[in-house]
Amino acid sequence: QVQLAESGGGSVQSGGSLRLSCVVSRYPYLSNCVAWFRQVPGDEREGVAAILIGDGKTWYDDSVKGRFTISEDSAVKTVYLQMDSLKPEDTAMYYCAVDVCTAAYGWAALSYHEYENWGQGTRVTVSS
C-alpha cells in the first residue's frame, strides 16, 4: 500500500516561509509525478505544484509562481515544497499525491483527477 507522509506545515505571518516535505513509500518513485495540492473547506482541491521524478520537469499554478519551489531528493524519496512570501490566501490543508505521468502532461499534472494516491495532509496557516 502506497504511503505518503507530509510534514512541515504550521502557522506563519504574511511574508514568511515554510518548507513542506512528502516522503513517498511503497510506490515506484522514478518516472512518476509527485504533486502538491491544497484545499480549503467548501472548495475543490487545487493543484499547486508538481514534479516529474527523474526528469525534473515542474509545473506551477499561476498563483504560486515565483513564490513556491518544488524539488525532490531521490536518495530519500522525498519531495519538498518551499513556500516563500506566503500570503493569507495560501492558508489551506496541503496534500501530496503521486501517480503516473509524463512530461507531456501539461495542465493535467495539476489536476486532482489524475492522482489516486494521497497523503493525509499538513495544515498551513498564514496570518496577516
Side-chain angles (χ1 to χ4, degrees):
Q1 184 176 352
V2 178
Q3 291 185 341
L4 299 170
E6 302 102 329
S7 63
S11 297
V12 296
Q13 290 192 326
S14 182
S17 298
L18 285 172
R19 190 177 80 155
L20 306 184
S21 299
C22 172
V23 180
V24 181
S25 305
R26 301 178 183 178
Y27 192 86
Y29 188 68
L30 291 177
S31 303
N32 288 301
C33 274
V34 177
W36 285 97
F37 291 79
R38 63 187 180 189
Q39 189 172 27
V40 297
D43 284 356
E44 193 170 87
R45 199 163 287 193
E46 172 190 31
V48 173
I51 186 167
L52 176 54
I53 305 299
D55 180 279
K57 184 172 178 61
T58 57
W59 297 265
Y60 292 95
D61 184 76
D62 286 345
S63 65
V64 305
K65 281 181 180 177
R67 299 189 301 120
F68 290 11
T69 303
I70 191 169
S71 62
E72 64 90 13
D73 184 342
S74 295
V76 291
K77 295 187 178 181
T78 301
V79 173
Y80 304 99
L81 185 67
Q82 178 66 42
M83 304 187 296
D84 298 318
S85 302
L86 282 161
K87 305 175 181 179
E89 51 263 44
D90 295 319
T91 295
M93 184 71 81
Y94 283 71
Y95 300 89
C96 68
V98 64
D99 222 307
V100 175
C101 86
T102 72
Y105 256 42
W107 63 268
L110 296 180
S111 171
Y112 72 87
H113 297 286
E114 299 296 326
Y115 294 85
E116 293 189 352
N117 307 293
W118 295 85
Q120 295 299 306
T122 185
R123 185 170 300 280
V124 172
T125 303
V126 184
S127 58
S128 56

